[in-house]
């Protein structure tokens, strides 16, 4: 009997344990899923946009999710539809017929969105059963900025480009939500249950991403590019990057042509490349690369600072003749090396490049961040190209010295290289993401900036700053001068190997910083197939700096 009693007790305990586990599963583990299923079984619902975490600028200004109030109607539970339609159309200042037709349907429908505070108050005062106000958000709007940085989501709500893709797992919610009202078998609302948002992910089911982007800087960059785009009659493309000169943080980054994030399918296969982020695409850098050549020459003691070069407008290396931009004027004449930088003299730089040698030139290109992606983490970023020194012959070295031949760089790389000039020779790696956090603001992951690396000596950096200041004050970059603050920088007009008629097709570049005495911003501008850097890219730089420093 005792054995049987123990067996019955054990069996009873097992049954109670199984019942407890099942109740735990229903009430705790599966409660959200089961409650959603129950609501769907006896609910009329209007789908809301899929919830994703926010993408913010550095000051928590949202770069996604324009939030607005909508009016949703549940026609099956609205009586006196004529009177309701008349009242709603009067408040919304719209025609009666469109509202009335929505109330004739069976499915829940959105009557209006982006309601004003006055409209919200008036509609709420109606107290009409079957009408409800709900907060919605649209991921992108016609005035969204930083589109190539933010990226976009696909039809399934998953990130397809930019930050949306790189942080898709953190930003993505669990499932779409819907606004629902519980109804009985006849379709009428069940008293006391009211409206609810069914299926919304829990607060901690999605995370927000905070970028280094500054909304004010980003807007200035985009205005300057749009103005240049409109005034130029349409060049192929453009990009601009603005960095914090001290920290290397990306404050602004834009690419043109732009695109509509809600109509991405329309751009697939378009040869204009609207979806391409040109700020991280590689191009022949032209004369902006001369900063590398000058740094290598001074660091290696290959040029005397008081030495003069005789420029007659061209120079021969082997059987090849290389032209200087001053050729039509008979050359620059006798100039020192600092003036050669300010005037971007090809003759002087080719001569200096032959002294520096391929191995040393490639070495300093690497020290200044060329030939590899930056640590920004931007998806699709090109690493550019720096050729193997073993494959470089004297004629190739002449081209490499002036930023031609097989060297390729992105605007972001060129801007990063300039941080070494303004920070005493320390290359300051760029960064884009500050942290991932909960909607409450609590940081989940903080991204620390990579430590600066001493790429060139402080004395070489100081010499380059004086030369680049001369370039904007009296050299070939005067269009980049910023009144009241000063500026410094280097132009580039990179040959593409193509021509239209008798004119070579050139990429226009400018990279520089401002204010000149105490740099706050480093900025690089590229105008793809735009022409000469001094007349096309430099004014865009000035426009950006004048707005930021004004």
């Amino acid at each position: 009997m005792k054995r049987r009693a123990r067996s019955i007790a054990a069996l009873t305990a097992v049954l109670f344990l199984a019942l407890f586990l099942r109740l735990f599963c229903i009430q705790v583990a599966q409660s959200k899923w089961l409650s959603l299923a129950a609501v769907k079984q006896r609910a009329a619902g209007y789908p809301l946009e899929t919830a994703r975490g926010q993408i913010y600028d550095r000051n928590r200004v949202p770069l996604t999710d324009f939030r607005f109030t909508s009016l949703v109607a549940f026609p099956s539970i609205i009586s006196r539809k004529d009177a309701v339609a008349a009242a709603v159309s009067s408040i919304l200042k719209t025609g009666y017929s469109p509202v009335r037709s929505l109330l004739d349907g069976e499915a829940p429908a959105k009557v209006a969105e982006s309601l004003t505070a006055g409209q919200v108050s008036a509609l709420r005062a109606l107290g009409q059963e079957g009408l409800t106000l709900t907060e919605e958000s649209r991921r992108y709007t016609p005035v969204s900025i930083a589109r190539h940085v933010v990226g976009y989501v696909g039809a399934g709500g998953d990130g397809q480009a930019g930050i949306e893709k790189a942080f898709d797992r953190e930003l993505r919610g669990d499932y779409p939500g819907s606004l629902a009202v519980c109804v009985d078998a006849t379709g009428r609302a069940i008293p006391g249950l009211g409206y609810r948002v069914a299926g919304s992910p829990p607060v901690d089911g999605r995370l927000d991403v905070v970028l280094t982007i500054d909304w004010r800087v980003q807007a200035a960059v985009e205005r300057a590019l749009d103005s240049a785009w409109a005034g130029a009659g349409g060049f192929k493309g453009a990009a601009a990057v603005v960095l914090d000169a001290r920290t290397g943080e990306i404050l602004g980054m834009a690419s043109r042509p732009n695109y509509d994030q809600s109509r991405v399918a329309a751009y697939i296969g378009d040869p204009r490349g609207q979806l391409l982020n040109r700020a991280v695409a590689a191009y022949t850098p032209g004369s902006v690369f001369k900063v590398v050549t000058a740094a290598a020459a001074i660091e290696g003691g290959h040029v005397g600072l008081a030495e003069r070069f005789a420029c007659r407008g061209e120079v021969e290396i082997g059987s090849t003749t290389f032209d200087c931009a001053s050729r039509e004027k008979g050359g620059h004449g006798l100039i020192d090396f600092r003036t050669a930088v300010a005037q971007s003299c090809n003759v002087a730089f080719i001569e200096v490049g032959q002294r520096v040698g391929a191995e040393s030139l490639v070495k300093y290109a690497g020290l200044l961040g060329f030939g590899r992606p930056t640590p920004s983490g931007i998806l699709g970023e090109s690493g550019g190209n720096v050729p193997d020194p073993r494959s470089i012959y004297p004629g190739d070295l002449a081209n490499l010295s002036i930023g031609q031949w097989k060297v390729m760089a992105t605007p972001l790389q060129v801007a990063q290289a300039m941080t070494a000039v303004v920070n005493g020779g320390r290359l300051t790696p760029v960064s884009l993401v500050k942290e991932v956090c909960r909607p409450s603001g609590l940081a989940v992951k903080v991204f620390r900036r990579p430590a600066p690396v001493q790429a060139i000596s402080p004395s070489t950096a100081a010499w380059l700053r004086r030369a680049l200041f001369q370039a904007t004050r009296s050299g070939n970059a005067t269009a980049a001068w910023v009144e009241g603050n000063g500026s410094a920088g280097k132009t580039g007009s990179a040959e593409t190997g193509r021509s239209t008629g008798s004119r070579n097709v050139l990429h226009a570049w400018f990279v520089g910083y401002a204010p000149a005495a105490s740099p706050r911003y480093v900025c690089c501008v590229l105008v793809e197939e735009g022409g000469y850097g001094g007349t096309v890219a430099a004014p865009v730089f000035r426009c950006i700096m004048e707005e930021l420093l004004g």
Side-chain angles (χ1 to χ4, degrees):
M1 290 296 293
K2 290 183 179 180
R3 188 178 300 114
R4 289 179 181 176
R6 283 197 295 268
S7 298
I8 292 172
L11 179 60
T12 303
V14 170
L15 290 174
F16 271 105
L17 178 60
L19 179 61
F20 173 78
L21 291 175
R22 182 57 180 159
L23 289 173
F24 178 84
C25 183
I26 292 173
Q27 294 185 333
V28 180
Q30 294 182 305
S31 62
K32 292 184 176 65
W33 180 85
L34 291 172
S35 63
L36 176 61
V39 170
K40 285 183 175 180
Q41 188 176 17
R42 278 280 184 256
Y46 175 80
L48 301 176
E49 196 167 297
T50 300
R52 279 175 74 84
Q54 279 276 31
I55 300 175
Y56 291 106
D57 88 333
R58 64 190 302 113
N59 299 308
R60 297 300 178 97
V61 176
L63 300 174
T64 53
D65 285 357
F66 168 70
R67 301 187 184 279
F68 54 92
T69 303
S70 296
L71 175 65
V72 176
F74 294 83
S76 64
I77 58 176
I78 294 178
S79 57
R80 301 183 306 110
K81 295 184 179 181
D82 290 338
V84 171
V88 170
S89 60
S90 176
I91 293 171
L92 298 179
K93 307 297 184 190
T94 60
Y96 168 83
S97 296
V99 177
R100 184 65 180 83
S101 63
L102 287 174
L103 301 185
D104 280 335
E106 295 183 1
K110 183 187 292 185
V111 179
E113 65 181 24
S114 301
L115 300 174
T116 66
Q119 290 171 333
V120 169
S121 178
L123 289 167
R124 189 170 285 128
L126 283 180
Q128 174 62 48
E129 184 182 25
L131 292 179
T132 185
L133 296 164
T134 184
E135 293 296 319
E136 282 194 272
S137 68
R138 183 167 293 131
R139 194 67 176 170
Y140 316 113
T141 73
V143 295
S144 294
I145 65 172
R147 300 182 190 186
H148 289 87
V149 175
V150 169
Y152 54 88
V153 296
D158 53 332
Q160 296 291 305
I163 295 297
E164 294 278 28
K165 182 176 181 179
F167 290 86
D168 183 57
R169 192 169 75 175
E170 291 84 352
L171 292 166
R172 186 173 50 209
D174 292 341
Y175 34 74
S178 64
L179 180 67
V181 58
C182 293
V183 296
D184 59 21
T186 66
R188 297 192 61 80
I190 299 175
L193 294 185
Y195 302 94
R196 61 178 296 180
V197 175
S200 292
V203 172
D204 60 355
R206 62 183 185 270
L207 300 172
D208 298 330
V209 178
V210 181
L211 306 181
T212 62
I213 295 291
D214 185 307
W215 195 96
R216 184 181 72 92
V217 175
Q218 181 69 31
V221 169
E222 299 206 16
R223 279 192 289 268
L225 283 185
D226 287 338
S227 178
W229 186 272
F235 35 72
K236 184 174 182 181
V241 177
V242 175
L243 307 179
D244 183 309
R246 296 176 293 274
T247 67
E249 292 177 318
I250 301 172
L251 302 178
M253 174 186 288
S255 179
R256 291 298 183 271
N258 212 350
Y259 71 101
D260 184 341
Q261 289 157 297
S262 60
R263 297 178 53 251
V264 172
Y267 307 103
I268 303 298
D270 193 313
R272 289 172 292 181
Q274 294 96 326
L275 301 180
L276 174 65
N277 185 354
R278 287 170 165 80
V280 292
Y283 298 86
T284 305
S287 293
V288 293
F289 190 77
K290 287 176 180 174
V291 173
V292 176
T293 307
I298 297 169
E299 288 284 283
H302 299 293
V303 60
L305 300 185
E307 181 180 357
R308 289 179 173 269
F309 299 85
C311 173
R312 297 186 299 275
E314 61 182 28
V315 62
E316 289 188 4
I317 301 296
S319 59
T320 305
T321 300
F322 295 88
D323 293 337
C324 183
S326 64
R327 181 179 180 181
E328 293 183 0
K329 298 179 181 179
H332 289 111
L334 283 175
I335 56 173
D336 60 26
F337 193 44
R338 185 180 298 167
T339 303
V341 174
Q343 297 292 344
S344 199
C345 176
N346 280 353
V347 170
F349 269 89
I350 288 173
E351 182 178 334
V352 167
Q354 298 296 308
R355 301 179 193 175
V356 170
E359 188 171 339
S360 183
L361 190 53
V362 168
K363 169 190 170 184
Y364 278 94
L367 288 172
L368 290 169
F370 292 93
R372 62 182 182 276
T374 70
S376 67
I378 297 174
L379 295 180
E381 178 183 359
S382 171
N385 183 65
V386 176
D388 187 329
R390 294 170 296 183
S391 66
I392 300 175
Y393 297 97
D396 303 327
L397 181 57
N399 270 315
L400 181 60
S401 302
I402 57 175
Q404 295 289 156
W405 193 48
K406 293 183 178 180
V407 62
M408 302 283 284
T410 71
L412 184 58
Q413 285 176 321
V414 173
Q416 179 180 253
M418 187 58 68
T419 65
V421 176
V422 302
N423 290 318
R426 296 185 306 278
L427 182 73
T428 308
V430 300
S431 58
L432 177 62
V433 181
K434 290 179 74 72
E435 64 183 23
V436 174
C437 61
R438 300 191 187 282
S440 64
L442 178 65
V444 173
K445 182 177 182 180
V446 177
F447 293 81
R448 304 198 180 280
R449 297 192 301 269
V453 177
Q454 196 74 40
I456 56 178
S457 67
S459 60
T460 296
W463 187 93
L464 286 169
R465 287 197 298 274
R466 291 191 291 271
L468 297 176
F469 177 80
Q470 184 176 330
T472 57
R473 205 70 184 103
S474 59
N476 74 338
T478 55
W481 179 255
V482 181
E483 288 293 339
N485 290 281
S487 60
K490 184 74 192 74
T491 61
S493 305
E495 295 183 0
T496 63
R498 293 179 289 108
S499 61
T500 55
S502 60
R503 299 184 63 180
N504 289 332
V505 176
L506 307 173
H507 296 320
W509 288 84
F510 183 83
V511 61
Y513 56 86
S518 181
R520 289 173 56 192
Y521 303 108
V522 167
C523 177
C524 180
V525 176
L526 162 74
V527 181
E528 186 178 352
E529 300 186 3
Y532 293 97
T535 57
V536 177
V540 179
F541 167 90
R542 185 189 69 242
C543 182
I544 295 170
M545 291 299 111
E546 284 178 343
E547 181 169 348
L548 296 183
L549 299 171

